[in-house]
Amino acid sequence: MQQSAKILIRIKAEKRWLDTLFTQYPIDLVISDNRYGLYTNAVPAVFITHQLRIKTGLGHIADNWLQKWNYRLIRRFAACWIPDEPGTTSLAGELSHPKRQPPIPVSYLGPLTRFTNCPSAPEGYLLIILSGPEPQRSLFEQLLIEQLTDYKGDVVLIRGLPQSTALPVVPANCQVLNHAPANQLQQLIGEAGLVISRCGYTSVMDLLVSQKKTVLVPTPGQSEQEYLATHLHSQGWSCTVPQQQFQLHSVLEMASRFNYRFPALDHQQFRPVVANMIASLPQRTRS
């Protein structure tokens, strides 16, 4: 809420950028990945989001107000695409399935992921994937490294720092990577016995489609991730724990007793939705 003025300024800047782009290229369709300013009446513009109802952490009144503001921005688009299951197997829960939807056509695409099902590896190593804003990324990394000194199994730690070249000092049983590209990351996830990760929605989609046992730790202060953690834990899809309560030995014991129930997900649902949109465009685009 404190950043609302900056957000509105950025939205106007995005709109000016798109209007300029239309004078340079013959654009037929705009697909905006959660960018509120990339709308136009000249051609169909689609808005992609999994947050129709944004959790503020301030209660229902604040959530209702923000949802109205959110819908005022979304209704400028021709359609809204939601990367989630259309029915009760909802990965994002109330975020993507509110009681009231935007006043434009809404389509559920299923989970969007770079990955396919990963092979089962119940005896594999412990994979830790860090991500998210500072300083919480570094605080969680420091907490994990300190607690890994008493862990005897093999560990792979991905720091989520693609621009970094330095590596932290870790126990001998821990391999550290600053970054892993998609192909390598999928292989590492497939070979892991358990994955510890943040609770960002992109990570949630990747890991649930991969059907891996996970422990998800929401970034402190991010109400979306905190809600997702509660929702996923209650469904039995992931074991979750707050960062301030994270103790590695307790978390591993909890995960070993957790009754994981992997949802049946169709991550190809987006294809007919996109195909129908393309088919409705002029012949020049379809060719």
Side-chain angles (χ1 to χ4, degrees):
M1 296 175 68
Q2 291 175 340
Q3 297 182 27
S4 58
K6 293 182 179 179
I7 293 173
L8 291 173
I9 292 172
R10 176 56 61 89
I11 289 173
K12 292 181 179 179
E14 290 173 352
K15 184 65 172 68
R16 289 194 300 269
W17 177 86
L18 183 63
D19 290 342
T20 300
L21 207 66
F22 265 84
T23 66
Q24 303 172 9
Y25 300 98
I27 298 172
D28 299 290
L29 172 66
V30 176
I31 299 178
S32 170
D33 186 3
N34 213 36
R35 293 301 232 177
Y36 292 96
L38 300 185
Y39 66 91
T40 176
N41 294 325
V43 300
V46 179
F47 187 75
I48 299 180
T49 184
H50 71 281
Q51 292 194 78
L52 296 179
R53 184 169 181 82
I54 300 172
K55 294 289 184 177
T56 64
L58 301 175
H60 290 293
I61 294 178
D63 291 353
N64 290 339
W65 178 86
L66 190 56
Q67 183 176 349
K68 291 180 180 179
W69 186 71
N70 193 30
Y71 283 9
R72 285 182 61 187
L73 300 176
I74 293 176
R75 70 186 182 189
R76 297 169 173 174
F77 293 81
C80 182
W81 291 353
I82 303 173
D84 197 359
E85 293 288 327
T88 57
T89 309
S90 169
L91 306 187
E94 293 179 9
L95 302 181
S96 61
H97 288 75
K99 294 181 180 179
R100 183 173 63 89
Q101 292 192 332
I104 59 175
V106 173
S107 298
Y108 287 86
L109 307 181
L112 299 181
T113 175
R114 302 162 290 175
F115 303 151
T116 56
N117 290 351
C118 294
S120 177
E123 303 301 326
Y125 47 75
L126 174 63
L127 175 62
I128 301 172
I129 305 173
L130 300 179
S131 61
E134 298 290 3
Q136 291 299 334
R137 192 215 63 82
S138 293
L139 291 174
F140 190 37
E141 178 183 62
Q142 182 180 359
L143 173 68
L144 284 162
I145 292 175
E146 291 174 354
Q147 297 184 12
L148 283 172
T149 56
D150 296 325
Y151 182 71
K152 304 305 181 184
D154 293 331
V155 181
V156 177
L157 170 63
I158 303 176
R159 304 181 68 207
L161 298 175
Q163 306 301 324
S164 179
T165 57
L167 294 175
V169 177
V170 296
N173 59 325
C174 182
Q175 176 188 356
V176 181
L177 302 172
N178 281 323
H179 174 69
N183 290 342
Q184 183 183 14
L185 182 59
Q186 180 172 2
Q187 181 179 354
L188 290 170
I189 291 175
E191 296 173 352
L194 180 70
V195 180
I196 297 177
S197 172
R198 285 301 195 192
C199 203
Y201 192 61
T202 298
S203 298
V204 167
M205 291 189 290
D206 285 343
L207 293 169
L208 287 184
V209 167
S210 301
Q211 296 195 338
K212 299 301 297 186
K213 292 182 178 181
T214 57
V215 174
L216 298 180
V217 183
T219 300
Q222 291 200 3
S223 53
E224 175 211 355
Q225 291 195 18
E226 291 167 347
Y227 168 79
L228 279 174
T230 301
H231 171 68
L232 296 170
H233 192 99
S234 67
Q235 297 296 316
W237 297 338
S238 176
C239 179
T240 62
V241 61
Q243 181 172 308
Q244 58 269 29
Q245 299 177 14
F246 190 95
Q247 292 291 332
L248 183 60
H249 67 279
S250 300
V251 167
L252 296 177
E253 182 180 352
M254 180 172 58
S256 68
R257 294 185 282 103
F258 191 76
N259 183 24
Y260 287 94
R261 301 188 299 272
F262 298 117
L265 301 175
D266 180 5
H267 59 283
Q268 300 294 329
Q269 295 180 60
F270 72 93
R271 294 184 182 275
V273 176
V274 177
N276 290 337
M277 175 65 76
I278 298 298
S280 68
L281 298 176
Q283 180 66 38
R284 173 171 59 83
T285 298
R286 288 187 279 129
S287 61

